[in-house]
């Protein structure tokens, strides 16, 4: 049921049961707030969202007061402004003025609201309360007690989301401080989220602390490739500061991953494993040039032609196989499928990467970010073990191994006996990993975060992956490598010029993608036609 209310002279319709703050946010009207968070219960303890409601004797808490039909709300009159100024003055009584050295500077609500809603000065002249700084409270989070404004977001997260209850407020009055329960550490699998939701710099992530100023970040909305959940994230990469660096010092390393809200997938959160998954990109040297064999750099064209000829010959004799990563995008998997089909009947397997177990929040044991997309494209393809056993029996001469785009350790390394059965191992991947070292031909490609495309999560939701930085060296999108191999092998090949062209071709060939266009996917993704697929 919808009700009509008036906010600052504007009449709007809002769903019954919503609060005044939620109603204001739905129409893009700013009502300042600290303790309110859409993924947590309502606490109503910061008092920053005070508004005036006609016929109410006192100012009302916007985050806690439900709307009612005919309600008239004022969020900008003099009475409300004075209340906000008073709240800001109280919050800043003991807060240290250390913005220049605070990691939250640039995205701090206390900074923003002090400028927009504060008075600009303080009547408090007594010494500020001195509390502990840079307290190690867990494997990923540091606490600065002086900066805490006691919004209780972090304690509610640990109580309501992870249900681990590590954090609480201790003492009373102006001596109240945030801290850990005795004998506990903030070590749950989602601990980094408390740094995300902290509106000030009280809780900071160790892995991002002092890495860069947030205004130097280039933020790209994309999808986590850590598991089959496909959490929506914002990927922050460094940017070149032209005044102080040269092109040779261009910095586009990944600095951090933070969650992006999508109620249908991950809500407002992300696990620590996914948050730090980008670190796997830096544990192994990148493959920047073609090699044949591994360790010997060669020009791209000769390496490509040699690999194509060996793959074509082995496929023609029925002695070729392919192993693909389940983290490859839909575009890459489709391109490899078309190449393998053009070459002939190959034993093909998309690997399964499973670790741990599913939990009740986000984590999936299936670490293949595109496992569902792989099933749509390849069906129940030959299993990885069957391919390896065929090699061990001497039935395969040439193996095409398309490596993992995120974690070099998730590309299989063949044991010496199995590798000895192969004449050729053609490796396409972004890393000079142990698996790549076994190759007779190595063709570099883009890693995760270096190409555009789509992933399908375990629910069947098609989601957009966006390029955030440049591929390294001669690396290029996997679908382009497949296209160049196909052309070098003499196959007839479509004139694809972008990932969107490849996706549209896949949508015509795969029933679950039928009718989906890249332009329609948007930031929150769209569901594939899984009901139609089940009916077939």
């Amino acid at each position: 049921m919808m009700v009509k209310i008036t906010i600052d002279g504007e009449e709007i319709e809002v769903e019954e049961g919503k609060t005044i703050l939620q109603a204001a946010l739905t129409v893009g009207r700013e009502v300042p707030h600290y303790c309110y968070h859409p993924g947590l219960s309502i606490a109503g303890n910061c008092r920053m969202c005070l508004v005036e409601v006609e016929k109410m004797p006192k100012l009302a808490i916007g985050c806690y007061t439900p709307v009612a039909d005919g309600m008239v709300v004022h969020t900008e009159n003099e009475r409300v402004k004075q209340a906000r100024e008073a709240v800001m003055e109280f919050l800043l009584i003991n807060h240290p003025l250390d913005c220049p050295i605070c990691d939250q500077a640039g995205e701090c609500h206390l900074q923003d609201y002090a400028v927009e809603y504060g008075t600009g000065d303080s009547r408090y002249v007594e010494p500020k309360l001195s509390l502990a700084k840079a307290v190690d409270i867990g494997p990923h989070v540091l606490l600065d007690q002086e900066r805490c404004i006691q919004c209780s977001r972090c304690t509610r997260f640990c109580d309501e989301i992870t249900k681990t209850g590590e954090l609480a407020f201790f003492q009373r009055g102006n001596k109240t401080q945030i801290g850990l329960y005795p004998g506990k550490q903030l070590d749950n699998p989602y601990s980094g989220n408390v740094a995300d939701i902290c509106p000030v710099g009280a809780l900071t992530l160790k892995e991002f602390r002092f890495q860069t100023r947030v205004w130097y970040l280039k933020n790209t909305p994309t999808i986590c490739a850590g598991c089959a959940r496909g959490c929506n994230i914002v990927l922050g990469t460094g940017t070149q500061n032209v005044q102080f660096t040269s092109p040779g010092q261009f910095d586009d390393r990944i600095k951090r991953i933070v969650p992006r809200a999508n109620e249908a997938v991950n809500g407002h959160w992300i696990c620590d494993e996914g948050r730090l998954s980008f670190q796997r990109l830096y544990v192994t040297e990148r493959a920047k040039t073609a090699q044949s064999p591994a360790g010997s750099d060669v020009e791209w064209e000769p390496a490509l032609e040699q690999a194509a000829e060996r793959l074509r010959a082995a496929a023609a004799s029925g002695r070729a196989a392919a192993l693909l990563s389940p983290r490859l995008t839909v575009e890459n998997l489709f391109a490899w499928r078309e190449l393998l089909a053009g070459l002939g009947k190959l034993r093909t397997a998309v690997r399964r990467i499973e670790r741990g177990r599913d939990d009740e929040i986000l984590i999936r044991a299936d670490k293949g970010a595109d496992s569902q997309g792989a099933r749509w494209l390849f069906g129940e393809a030959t299993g990885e073990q069957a391919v390896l056993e065929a090699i061990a029996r001497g039935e395969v001469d040439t193996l095409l191994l398309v490596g993992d785009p995120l974690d070099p350790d998730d590309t299989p390394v063949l044991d010496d006996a199995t590798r000895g059965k192969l004449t050729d191992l053609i490796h396409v991947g972004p890393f000079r990993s142990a698996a790549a070292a076994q190759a007779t031909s190595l063709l570099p490609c883009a890693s995760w975060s270096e190409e555009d495309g789509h992933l399908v999560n375990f629910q069947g939701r098609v989601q957009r992956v966006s390029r955030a930085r440049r591929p390294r060296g001669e690396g290029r999108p996997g679908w382009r490598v497949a296209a160049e191999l196909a052309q070098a092998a003499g196959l007839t090949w479509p004139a694809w010029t972008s990932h969107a062209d490849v996706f549209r071709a896949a949508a015509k060939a795969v029933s679950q993608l039928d009718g989906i266009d890249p332009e329609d996917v948007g930031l929150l993704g769209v569901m594939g036609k899984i009901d139609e697929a089940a009916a077939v």
Side-chain angles (χ1 to χ4, degrees):
M1 179 179 174
M2 306 296 286
V3 299
K4 289 184 178 181
I5 68 171
T6 302
I7 301 181
D8 295 331
E10 179 185 357
E11 185 177 83
I12 64 171
E13 279 194 339
V14 63
E15 185 181 344
E16 186 177 28
K18 295 290 186 182
T19 65
I20 294 173
L21 174 59
Q22 291 169 335
L25 294 176
T26 58
V27 295
R29 185 173 294 277
E30 173 71 14
V31 175
H33 57 277
Y34 290 116
C35 64
Y36 172 77
H37 188 282
L40 302 172
S41 65
I42 296 174
N45 58 0
C46 77
R47 292 303 195 267
M48 194 65 193
C49 64
L50 287 171
V51 296
E52 183 177 44
V53 180
E54 290 186 4
K55 300 181 182 179
M56 282 190 179
K58 298 180 180 180
L59 295 182
I61 307 171
C63 70
Y64 207 91
T65 307
V67 296
D69 197 42
M71 178 181 280
V72 179
V73 180
H74 301 282
T75 70
E76 296 292 343
N77 64 18
E78 192 60 30
R79 190 180 176 199
V80 171
K81 288 180 179 179
Q82 289 179 0
R84 288 176 183 164
E85 289 175 356
V87 171
M88 284 304 308
E89 188 174 13
F90 276 117
L91 289 176
L92 291 171
I93 280 178
N94 285 309
H95 193 88
L97 299 178
D98 60 352
C99 297
I101 61 168
C102 178
D103 251 13
Q104 193 75 5
E107 53 186 10
C108 174
H109 292 297
L110 196 64
Q111 270 187 336
D112 296 340
Y113 291 168
V115 171
E116 191 166 354
Y117 303 110
T119 63
D121 58 7
S122 174
R123 293 168 290 177
Y124 188 78
V125 295
E126 286 75 19
K128 291 179 181 288
L129 189 65
S130 180
L131 296 174
K133 301 180 70 67
V135 182
D136 190 342
I137 61 172
H140 304 298
V141 180
L142 288 176
L143 167 65
D144 190 320
Q145 291 179 324
E146 289 182 343
R147 296 175 183 160
C148 178
I149 61 170
Q150 297 156 27
C151 69
S152 78
R153 284 186 177 187
C154 58
T155 63
R156 281 177 284 149
F157 177 83
C158 293
D159 290 343
E160 300 166 9
I161 306 303
T162 63
K163 297 180 172 60
T164 47
E166 298 96 337
L167 294 169
F169 289 113
F170 299 92
Q171 301 193 48
R172 304 185 69 177
N174 73 328
K175 298 186 183 299
T176 301
Q177 56 187 272
I178 189 73
L180 289 166
Y181 276 108
K184 284 202 171 188
Q185 284 282 295
L186 184 63
D187 56 2
N188 69 68
Y190 298 87
S191 64
N193 289 283
V194 301
D196 297 330
I197 61 178
C198 181
V200 293
L203 295 165
T204 52
L205 196 72
K206 292 179 182 178
E207 289 80 4
F208 180 65
R209 188 176 171 92
F210 301 141
Q211 291 298 304
T212 187
R213 284 299 195 182
V214 296
W215 49 83
Y216 291 139
L217 290 177
K218 171 189 166 188
N219 292 311
T220 304
T222 188
I223 303 300
C224 175
C227 79
R229 172 72 60 178
C231 290
N232 290 219
I233 60 171
V234 175
L235 185 69
T237 55
T239 56
Q240 180 186 13
N241 187 327
V242 179
Q243 293 176 314
F244 302 109
T245 65
S246 68
Q249 295 170 304
F250 187 90
D251 176 21
D252 68 346
R253 289 173 65 90
I254 298 173
K255 303 296 185 180
R256 71 173 181 183
I257 290 174
V258 294
R260 177 166 56 90
N262 187 339
E263 294 291 354
V265 181
N266 57 301
H268 302 269
W269 322 119
I270 188 174
C271 71
D272 291 345
E273 182 180 357
R275 181 187 300 275
L276 301 175
S277 60
F278 71 90
Q279 294 178 337
R280 303 302 302 164
L281 296 170
Y282 301 111
V283 299
T284 300
E285 184 183 358
R286 291 294 301 274
K288 297 180 180 179
T289 60
Q291 296 184 344
S292 184
S296 301
D297 292 349
V298 295
E299 294 295 325
W300 177 269
E301 291 300 331
L304 185 78
E305 291 173 1
Q306 184 182 73
E309 174 57 29
R310 292 174 176 176
L311 190 60
R312 185 194 60 77
S317 62
R319 298 183 63 81
L323 279 177
L324 310 176
S325 168
R327 290 196 179 111
L328 300 179
T329 63
V330 168
E331 290 82 353
N332 290 344
L333 287 173
F334 181 72
W336 290 116
R337 189 186 87 162
E338 295 302 286
L339 169 65
L340 299 176
L343 290 171
K345 188 174 179 60
L346 281 77
R347 293 179 174 87
T348 302
V350 180
R351 301 191 66 231
R352 288 193 63 81
I353 306 173
E354 294 193 356
R355 286 191 291 268
R357 59 181 181 82
D358 298 351
D359 72 5
E360 297 179 354
I361 307 176
L362 297 177
I363 295 173
R364 306 289 299 180
D366 182 359
K367 303 305 178 184
D370 201 23
S371 294
Q372 186 68 274
R375 283 190 285 271
W376 289 358
L377 287 161
F378 288 90
E380 296 300 326
T382 303
E384 174 185 1
Q385 191 59 36
V387 170
L388 296 177
E389 290 173 357
I391 297 172
R393 292 193 299 268
E395 299 172 3
V396 175
D397 292 333
T398 299
L399 175 66
L400 171 65
L401 180 60
V402 183
D404 194 272
L406 177 66
D407 189 344
D409 290 342
D410 282 334
T411 300
V413 180
L414 304 182
D415 61 58
D416 292 340
T418 303
R419 178 63 187 89
K421 298 284 186 175
L422 291 172
T423 304
D424 291 298
L425 195 162
I426 300 167
H427 183 98
V428 179
F431 304 107
R432 288 189 176 181
S433 60
Q438 298 180 321
T440 50
S441 294
L442 171 61
L443 299 173
C445 68
S447 74
W448 174 78
S449 77
E450 294 175 357
E451 62 178 334
D452 294 309
H454 295 82
L455 298 172
V456 183
N457 78 348
F458 78 102
Q459 301 163 310
R461 180 173 292 271
V462 181
Q463 302 189 101
R464 178 185 298 166
V465 180
S466 298
R467 170 177 161 170
R469 59 203 193 114
R470 301 174 302 176
R472 297 301 181 259
E474 294 182 309
R476 58 205 71 189
W479 63 265
R480 194 178 294 278
V481 177
E484 293 183 19
L485 275 172
Q487 292 163 354
L491 301 180
T492 302
W493 199 257
W496 293 333
T497 60
S498 70
H499 77 96
D501 292 340
V502 186
F503 187 88
R504 291 186 180 105
K508 292 179 180 177
V510 180
S511 62
Q512 294 91 337
L513 299 174
D514 183 40
I516 299 177
D517 188 87
E519 298 296 326
D520 301 329
V521 173
L523 289 176
L524 301 181
V526 296
M527 289 298 294
K529 293 187 168 56
I530 52 178
D531 290 335
E532 292 181 14
V536 170

